[in-house]
Amino acid sequence: MQISIFTVDAFTDQPFSGNPAAVCLLEDELEEGWHQKIATEMNLSETAFIRKLHPTDDFTRKNVNSTLTFVTLSGELNARQAGDHIILDLPLYPTYPQDFQEVEKLVKATVGDMNVQDVRYSPDTKKLLVCLSDAYGRSDLEKIQVNAQELLLAEKTGKVQGLIVTLKGDFHGKHESYDFYSRYFAPWVGILEDPVTGSAHTVLSSYWSQQLGKKEMCAFQCSTRGGKLKILLRPDGRVDVSGQTVIVLKGFLTI
């Protein structure tokens, strides 16, 4: 069997940046266990499998009004195209003030002695949000070096499964203008740092919308690869997170 396969860099307009994912187009059902085997072979943080719901469906037909539904470990994820952007329809998760003393070791293991102005927790996602002082800039966030073992030793309760470090944007710097910056670490689930994280922005969008009083925002995730995200808080309490994509590889997988 030959399967059409692509490597797509998401949340970027440049190859070899953003969040890389493998996408497989399935004409037929795979045998049990093959999905995981293919994902392991591709060795990327995400591997998506798209199959036809009806025999007459055409993978090559472009329809900007169509929606793809992905079944993930976090539930169904709907994606649609709008111009040169792909929009993800995501839930919006609130954050709550966190007692700093309870997470002080974890925060210091992440950002050292940097001045922290806010610490929030999202019980729905088990993510801790650490907001740095406005005195810092994007370059300060990018310089943070995190050791996975130190984070694991600082948090063993299972309460935190992902840690977001974020910072208010700078509209007067040498880079493009963004409302906020972030980095995301999750060694508790085997990921030291994720390049670009849609799920983290379900938390970040809620937090920064309150802080900035805005429903539409632009964000940048400051990983080594980097990623640009557009955010729109909707009246129904959900959030649209969108970005551009670049196909960097296409071919066939033979099994």
Side-chain angles (χ1 to χ4, degrees), residues 6-12 14-23 39 42-48 193-197 223-227 244-249:
F6 304 81
T7 298
V8 182
D9 289 341
F11 301 113
T12 182
Q14 299 293 324
F16 313 123
S17 57
N19 198 31
V23 180
M42 298 310 297
N43 194 31
L44 295 173
S45 56
E46 286 89 18
T47 300
E193 181 170 7
D194 196 38
V196 193
T197 318
S223 64
T224 302
R225 294 177 63 95
Q244 294 173 282
T245 60
V246 179
I247 296 175
V248 295
L249 182 149

mmCIF file of all heavy atoms in Angstrom, residues 6-12 14-23 39 42-48 193-197 223-227 244-249:
data_model
loop_
_atom_site.group_PDB
_atom_site.id
_atom_site.type_symbol
_atom_site.label_atom_id
_atom_site.label_comp_id
_atom_site.label_asym_id
_atom_site.label_seq_id
_atom_site.Cartn_x
_atom_site.Cartn_y
_atom_site.Cartn_z
ATOM 1 N N PHE A 6 2.684 14.117 3.681
ATOM 2 C CA PHE A 6 3.237 15.463 3.601
ATOM 3 C C PHE A 6 3.829 15.829 4.960
ATOM 4 O O PHE A 6 3.330 15.392 6.001
ATOM 5 C CB PHE A 6 2.152 16.490 3.258
ATOM 6 C CG PHE A 6 1.402 16.202 1.982
ATOM 7 C CD1 PHE A 6 0.370 15.275 1.961
ATOM 8 C CD2 PHE A 6 1.728 16.849 0.802
ATOM 9 C CE1 PHE A 6 -0.329 15.000 0.794
ATOM 10 C CE2 PHE A 6 1.041 16.590 -0.368
ATOM 11 C CZ PHE A 6 0.014 15.663 -0.383
ATOM 12 N N THR A 7 4.858 16.662 4.947
ATOM 13 C CA THR A 7 5.308 17.324 6.161
ATOM 14 C C THR A 7 4.948 18.799 6.023
ATOM 15 O O THR A 7 5.335 19.449 5.047
ATOM 16 C CB THR A 7 6.817 17.167 6.389
ATOM 17 O OG1 THR A 7 7.124 15.781 6.550
ATOM 18 C CG2 THR A 7 7.248 17.918 7.641
ATOM 19 N N VAL A 8 4.191 19.287 6.980
ATOM 20 C CA VAL A 8 3.672 20.649 6.924
ATOM 21 C C VAL A 8 4.170 21.424 8.137
ATOM 22 O O VAL A 8 4.034 20.969 9.278
ATOM 23 C CB VAL A 8 2.130 20.648 6.913
ATOM 24 C CG1 VAL A 8 1.597 22.077 6.816
ATOM 25 C CG2 VAL A 8 1.599 19.801 5.761
ATOM 26 N N ASP A 9 4.755 22.585 7.896
ATOM 27 C CA ASP A 9 5.138 23.491 8.980
ATOM 28 C C ASP A 9 3.985 24.465 9.210
ATOM 29 O O ASP A 9 3.603 25.216 8.300
ATOM 30 C CB ASP A 9 6.409 24.259 8.626
ATOM 31 C CG ASP A 9 7.643 23.364 8.629
ATOM 32 O OD1 ASP A 9 7.580 22.282 9.225
ATOM 33 O OD2 ASP A 9 8.667 23.758 8.024
ATOM 34 N N ALA A 10 3.412 24.423 10.404
ATOM 35 C CA ALA A 10 2.233 25.224 10.719
ATOM 36 C C ALA A 10 2.601 26.448 11.549
ATOM 37 O O ALA A 10 3.615 26.468 12.245
ATOM 38 C CB ALA A 10 1.219 24.376 11.477
ATOM 39 N N PHE A 11 1.750 27.471 11.457
ATOM 40 C CA PHE A 11 1.934 28.751 12.157
ATOM 41 C C PHE A 11 3.196 29.475 11.687
ATOM 42 O O PHE A 11 3.932 30.065 12.471
ATOM 43 C CB PHE A 11 1.962 28.556 13.679
ATOM 44 C CG PHE A 11 0.705 27.937 14.215
ATOM 45 C CD1 PHE A 11 0.725 26.664 14.761
ATOM 46 C CD2 PHE A 11 -0.503 28.618 14.172
ATOM 47 C CE1 PHE A 11 -0.430 26.079 15.242
ATOM 48 C CE2 PHE A 11 -1.663 28.043 14.653
ATOM 49 C CZ PHE A 11 -1.635 26.767 15.194
ATOM 50 N N THR A 12 3.435 29.406 10.383
ATOM 51 C CA THR A 12 4.584 30.096 9.808
ATOM 52 C C THR A 12 4.384 30.263 8.314
ATOM 53 O O THR A 12 3.608 29.521 7.701
ATOM 54 C CB THR A 12 5.883 29.308 10.058
ATOM 55 O OG1 THR A 12 6.990 30.038 9.518
ATOM 56 C CG2 THR A 12 5.836 27.934 9.409
ATOM 57 N N GLN A 14 7.378 30.480 6.588
ATOM 58 C CA GLN A 14 8.744 30.151 6.205
ATOM 59 C C GLN A 14 9.013 28.669 6.473
ATOM 60 O O GLN A 14 8.622 28.148 7.522
ATOM 61 C CB GLN A 14 9.748 30.992 6.991
ATOM 62 C CG GLN A 14 9.625 32.494 6.787
ATOM 63 C CD GLN A 14 9.992 32.908 5.371
ATOM 64 O OE1 GLN A 14 10.898 32.319 4.763
ATOM 65 N NE2 GLN A 14 9.298 33.912 4.847
ATOM 66 N N PRO A 15 9.669 27.971 5.548
ATOM 67 C CA PRO A 15 10.009 26.564 5.802
ATOM 68 C C PRO A 15 10.983 26.424 6.959
ATOM 69 O O PRO A 15 11.763 27.332 7.242
ATOM 70 C CB PRO A 15 10.637 26.101 4.479
ATOM 71 C CG PRO A 15 11.119 27.355 3.828
ATOM 72 C CD PRO A 15 10.155 28.431 4.242
ATOM 73 N N PHE A 16 10.898 25.282 7.643
ATOM 74 C CA PHE A 16 11.786 24.927 8.754
ATOM 75 C C PHE A 16 11.596 25.819 9.973
ATOM 76 O O PHE A 16 12.500 25.994 10.782
ATOM 77 C CB PHE A 16 13.259 24.932 8.307
ATOM 78 C CG PHE A 16 13.483 24.210 7.013
ATOM 79 C CD1 PHE A 16 14.065 24.852 5.933
ATOM 80 C CD2 PHE A 16 13.091 22.892 6.865
ATOM 81 C CE1 PHE A 16 14.261 24.202 4.729
ATOM 82 C CE2 PHE A 16 13.278 22.223 5.665
ATOM 83 C CZ PHE A 16 13.866 22.882 4.603
ATOM 84 N N SER A 17 10.420 26.393 10.098
ATOM 85 C CA SER A 17 10.038 27.103 11.312
ATOM 86 C C SER A 17 8.623 26.678 11.649
ATOM 87 O O SER A 17 8.057 25.786 11.019
ATOM 88 C CB SER A 17 10.145 28.625 11.117
ATOM 89 O OG SER A 17 9.354 29.051 10.025
ATOM 90 N N GLY A 18 8.022 27.270 12.672
ATOM 91 C CA GLY A 18 6.685 26.856 13.073
ATOM 92 C C GLY A 18 6.661 25.469 13.674
ATOM 93 O O GLY A 18 7.678 24.956 14.156
ATOM 94 N N ASN A 19 5.505 24.828 13.621
ATOM 95 C CA ASN A 19 5.302 23.515 14.232
ATOM 96 C C ASN A 19 5.197 22.448 13.144
ATOM 97 O O ASN A 19 4.239 22.447 12.373
ATOM 98 C CB ASN A 19 4.027 23.522 15.078
ATOM 99 C CG ASN A 19 3.996 22.368 16.063
ATOM 100 O OD1 ASN A 19 5.038 21.925 16.540
ATOM 101 N ND2 ASN A 19 2.814 21.874 16.371
ATOM 102 N N PRO A 20 6.160 21.529 13.031
ATOM 103 C CA PRO A 20 6.114 20.526 11.967
ATOM 104 C C PRO A 20 5.133 19.404 12.293
ATOM 105 O O PRO A 20 5.055 18.938 13.425
ATOM 106 C CB PRO A 20 7.547 20.001 11.924
ATOM 107 C CG PRO A 20 8.039 20.156 13.332
ATOM 108 C CD PRO A 20 7.373 21.393 13.877
ATOM 109 N N ALA A 21 4.400 18.967 11.281
ATOM 110 C CA ALA A 21 3.454 17.864 11.455
ATOM 111 C C ALA A 21 3.447 17.024 10.191
ATOM 112 O O ALA A 21 3.648 17.524 9.082
ATOM 113 C CB ALA A 21 2.054 18.384 11.747
ATOM 114 N N ALA A 22 3.216 15.736 10.364
ATOM 115 C CA ALA A 22 3.030 14.838 9.224
ATOM 116 C C ALA A 22 1.530 14.709 8.950
ATOM 117 O O ALA A 22 0.727 14.642 9.879
ATOM 118 C CB ALA A 22 3.634 13.469 9.520
ATOM 119 N N VAL A 23 1.171 14.697 7.671
ATOM 120 C CA VAL A 23 -0.233 14.542 7.268
ATOM 121 C C VAL A 23 -0.323 13.402 6.270
ATOM 122 O O VAL A 23 0.332 13.444 5.215
ATOM 123 C CB VAL A 23 -0.781 15.840 6.645
ATOM 124 C CG1 VAL A 23 -2.243 15.645 6.241
ATOM 125 C CG2 VAL A 23 -0.650 17.006 7.619
ATOM 126 N N ALA A 39 3.248 7.153 12.922
ATOM 127 C CA ALA A 39 3.601 8.337 13.710
ATOM 128 C C ALA A 39 4.998 8.209 14.302
ATOM 129 O O ALA A 39 5.783 9.165 14.308
ATOM 130 C CB ALA A 39 2.569 8.546 14.814
ATOM 131 N N MET A 42 7.582 8.727 11.547
ATOM 132 C CA MET A 42 7.740 10.124 11.147
ATOM 133 C C MET A 42 8.468 10.941 12.213
ATOM 134 O O MET A 42 9.108 11.945 11.910
ATOM 135 C CB MET A 42 6.373 10.754 10.856
ATOM 136 C CG MET A 42 5.630 10.092 9.697
ATOM 137 S SD MET A 42 6.662 9.918 8.220
ATOM 138 C CE MET A 42 6.997 11.637 7.842
ATOM 139 N N ASN A 43 8.349 10.535 13.486
ATOM 140 C CA ASN A 43 9.108 11.151 14.579
ATOM 141 C C ASN A 43 8.874 12.655 14.679
ATOM 142 O O ASN A 43 9.799 13.444 14.867
ATOM 143 C CB ASN A 43 10.601 10.863 14.421
ATOM 144 C CG ASN A 43 11.386 11.172 15.693
ATOM 145 O OD1 ASN A 43 10.854 11.050 16.801
ATOM 146 N ND2 ASN A 43 12.637 11.574 15.540
ATOM 147 N N LEU A 44 7.608 13.057 14.525
ATOM 148 C CA LEU A 44 7.221 14.452 14.699
ATOM 149 C C LEU A 44 6.214 14.552 15.837
ATOM 150 O O LEU A 44 5.600 13.560 16.219
ATOM 151 C CB LEU A 44 6.604 15.004 13.396
ATOM 152 C CG LEU A 44 7.554 15.090 12.195
ATOM 153 C CD1 LEU A 44 6.789 15.475 10.947
ATOM 154 C CD2 LEU A 44 8.670 16.090 12.460
ATOM 155 N N SER A 45 6.044 15.764 16.357
ATOM 156 C CA SER A 45 5.171 15.907 17.524
ATOM 157 C C SER A 45 3.714 15.611 17.194
ATOM 158 O O SER A 45 2.946 15.219 18.065
ATOM 159 C CB SER A 45 5.295 17.327 18.094
ATOM 160 O OG SER A 45 5.017 18.291 17.101
ATOM 161 N N GLU A 46 3.322 15.816 15.926
ATOM 162 C CA GLU A 46 1.961 15.492 15.515
ATOM 163 C C GLU A 46 1.966 14.755 14.185
ATOM 164 O O GLU A 46 2.741 15.096 13.281
ATOM 165 C CB GLU A 46 1.079 16.748 15.356
ATOM 166 C CG GLU A 46 0.652 17.395 16.652
ATOM 167 C CD GLU A 46 1.641 18.419 17.147
ATOM 168 O OE1 GLU A 46 2.479 18.873 16.362
ATOM 169 O OE2 GLU A 46 1.570 18.764 18.346
ATOM 170 N N THR A 47 1.109 13.761 14.080
ATOM 171 C CA THR A 47 0.850 13.093 12.806
ATOM 172 C C THR A 47 -0.659 12.993 12.641
ATOM 173 O O THR A 47 -1.352 12.453 13.500
ATOM 174 C CB THR A 47 1.464 11.685 12.756
ATOM 175 O OG1 THR A 47 2.874 11.781 12.941
ATOM 176 C CG2 THR A 47 1.190 11.019 11.422
ATOM 177 N N ALA A 48 -1.169 13.552 11.539
ATOM 178 C CA ALA A 48 -2.613 13.564 11.291
ATOM 179 C C ALA A 48 -2.944 12.602 10.155
ATOM 180 O O ALA A 48 -2.197 12.486 9.177
ATOM 181 C CB ALA A 48 -3.077 14.977 10.935
ATOM 182 N N GLU A 193 10.332 21.360 25.177
ATOM 183 C CA GLU A 193 9.743 22.599 24.678
ATOM 184 C C GLU A 193 9.046 22.334 23.355
ATOM 185 O O GLU A 193 9.646 21.775 22.434
ATOM 186 C CB GLU A 193 10.788 23.698 24.509
ATOM 187 C CG GLU A 193 10.175 25.004 24.010
ATOM 188 C CD GLU A 193 11.109 26.199 24.040
ATOM 189 O OE1 GLU A 193 12.309 25.994 24.332
ATOM 190 O OE2 GLU A 193 10.647 27.322 23.781
ATOM 191 N N ASP A 194 7.799 22.760 23.260
ATOM 192 C CA ASP A 194 7.031 22.595 22.034
ATOM 193 C C ASP A 194 7.267 23.811 21.133
ATOM 194 O O ASP A 194 7.258 24.951 21.622
ATOM 195 C CB ASP A 194 5.545 22.474 22.373
ATOM 196 C CG ASP A 194 4.736 21.929 21.212
ATOM 197 O OD1 ASP A 194 5.254 21.034 20.517
ATOM 198 O OD2 ASP A 194 3.606 22.392 21.007
ATOM 199 N N PRO A 195 7.473 23.614 19.828
ATOM 200 C CA PRO A 195 7.751 24.753 18.944
ATOM 201 C C PRO A 195 6.634 25.790 18.917
ATOM 202 O O PRO A 195 6.871 26.982 19.124
ATOM 203 C CB PRO A 195 7.946 24.103 17.575
ATOM 204 C CG PRO A 195 8.297 22.689 17.853
ATOM 205 C CD PRO A 195 7.575 22.331 19.112
ATOM 206 N N VAL A 196 5.409 25.335 18.644
ATOM 207 C CA VAL A 196 4.235 26.215 18.645
ATOM 208 C C VAL A 196 3.066 25.392 19.168
ATOM 209 O O VAL A 196 2.846 24.271 18.711
ATOM 210 C CB VAL A 196 3.894 26.766 17.242
ATOM 211 C CG1 VAL A 196 2.888 27.905 17.353
ATOM 212 C CG2 VAL A 196 5.132 27.239 16.511
ATOM 213 N N THR A 197 2.303 25.944 20.102
ATOM 214 C CA THR A 197 1.338 25.141 20.854
ATOM 215 C C THR A 197 -0.055 25.749 20.806
ATOM 216 O O THR A 197 -0.334 26.748 21.473
ATOM 217 C CB THR A 197 1.787 25.015 22.323
ATOM 218 O OG1 THR A 197 3.190 24.783 22.383
ATOM 219 C CG2 THR A 197 1.049 23.876 23.008
ATOM 220 N N SER A 223 9.962 29.922 20.527
ATOM 221 C CA SER A 223 10.824 28.745 20.509
ATOM 222 C C SER A 223 11.927 28.971 19.486
ATOM 223 O O SER A 223 11.962 29.990 18.791
ATOM 224 C CB SER A 223 10.007 27.511 20.137
ATOM 225 O OG SER A 223 9.506 27.647 18.810
ATOM 226 N N THR A 224 12.840 28.005 19.366
ATOM 227 C CA THR A 224 13.909 28.120 18.379
ATOM 228 C C THR A 224 13.342 28.239 16.968
ATOM 229 O O THR A 224 13.835 29.009 16.144
ATOM 230 C CB THR A 224 14.847 26.901 18.463
ATOM 231 O OG1 THR A 224 15.381 26.811 19.779
ATOM 232 C CG2 THR A 224 15.985 27.029 17.466
ATOM 233 N N ARG A 225 12.268 27.481 16.689
ATOM 234 C CA ARG A 225 11.646 27.536 15.365
ATOM 235 C C ARG A 225 10.751 28.766 15.223
ATOM 236 O O ARG A 225 10.703 29.382 14.166
ATOM 237 C CB ARG A 225 10.828 26.259 15.115
ATOM 238 C CG ARG A 225 11.684 25.001 15.013
ATOM 239 C CD ARG A 225 10.807 23.774 14.846
ATOM 240 N NE ARG A 225 10.045 23.806 13.609
ATOM 241 C CZ ARG A 225 10.413 23.232 12.472
ATOM 242 N NH1 ARG A 225 11.566 22.565 12.400
ATOM 243 N NH2 ARG A 225 9.657 23.290 11.386
ATOM 244 N N GLY A 226 10.039 29.123 16.282
ATOM 245 C CA GLY A 226 9.186 30.309 16.276
ATOM 246 C C GLY A 226 7.885 30.091 15.524
ATOM 247 O O GLY A 226 7.829 29.331 14.555
ATOM 248 N N GLY A 227 6.820 30.749 15.975
ATOM 249 C CA GLY A 227 5.531 30.611 15.318
ATOM 250 C C GLY A 227 4.639 31.817 15.527
ATOM 251 O O GLY A 227 4.628 32.407 16.610
ATOM 252 N N GLN A 244 -0.535 30.530 9.159
ATOM 253 C CA GLN A 244 -0.204 30.086 7.819
ATOM 254 C C GLN A 244 0.509 28.739 7.872
ATOM 255 O O GLN A 244 0.949 28.296 8.941
ATOM 256 C CB GLN A 244 0.674 31.133 7.122
ATOM 257 C CG GLN A 244 -0.047 32.445 6.872
ATOM 258 C CD GLN A 244 0.880 33.516 6.344
ATOM 259 O OE1 GLN A 244 1.636 34.121 7.091
ATOM 260 N NE2 GLN A 244 0.846 33.755 5.041
ATOM 261 N N THR A 245 0.625 28.086 6.728
ATOM 262 C CA THR A 245 1.291 26.785 6.654
ATOM 263 C C THR A 245 2.200 26.730 5.431
ATOM 264 O O THR A 245 1.965 27.410 4.432
ATOM 265 C CB THR A 245 0.284 25.627 6.566
ATOM 266 O OG1 THR A 245 -0.514 25.783 5.384
ATOM 267 C CG2 THR A 245 -0.615 25.586 7.797
ATOM 268 N N VAL A 246 3.246 25.913 5.536
ATOM 269 C CA VAL A 246 4.169 25.692 4.430
ATOM 270 C C VAL A 246 4.392 24.190 4.290
ATOM 271 O O VAL A 246 4.737 23.518 5.270
ATOM 272 C CB VAL A 246 5.530 26.389 4.685
ATOM 273 C CG1 VAL A 246 6.481 26.120 3.528
ATOM 274 C CG2 VAL A 246 5.340 27.872 4.885
ATOM 275 N N ILE A 247 4.175 23.648 3.096
ATOM 276 C CA ILE A 247 4.471 22.242 2.833
ATOM 277 C C ILE A 247 5.953 22.133 2.481
ATOM 278 O O ILE A 247 6.425 22.744 1.516
ATOM 279 C CB ILE A 247 3.613 21.688 1.684
ATOM 280 C CG1 ILE A 247 2.129 21.710 2.075
ATOM 281 C CG2 ILE A 247 4.035 20.259 1.341
ATOM 282 C CD1 ILE A 247 1.185 21.292 0.956
ATOM 283 N N VAL A 248 6.690 21.348 3.259
ATOM 284 C CA VAL A 248 8.139 21.240 3.033
ATOM 285 C C VAL A 248 8.544 19.880 2.476
ATOM 286 O O VAL A 248 9.683 19.697 2.038
ATOM 287 C CB VAL A 248 8.926 21.525 4.337
ATOM 288 C CG1 VAL A 248 8.733 22.960 4.770
ATOM 289 C CG2 VAL A 248 8.522 20.570 5.450
ATOM 290 N N LEU A 249 7.620 18.929 2.494
ATOM 291 C CA LEU A 249 7.932 17.599 1.957
ATOM 292 C C LEU A 249 6.643 16.927 1.531
ATOM 293 O O LEU A 249 5.624 17.021 2.223
ATOM 294 C CB LEU A 249 8.643 16.761 3.022
ATOM 295 C CG LEU A 249 9.101 15.337 2.649
ATOM 296 C CD1 LEU A 249 10.361 14.981 3.438
ATOM 297 C CD2 LEU A 249 8.012 14.303 2.934
#
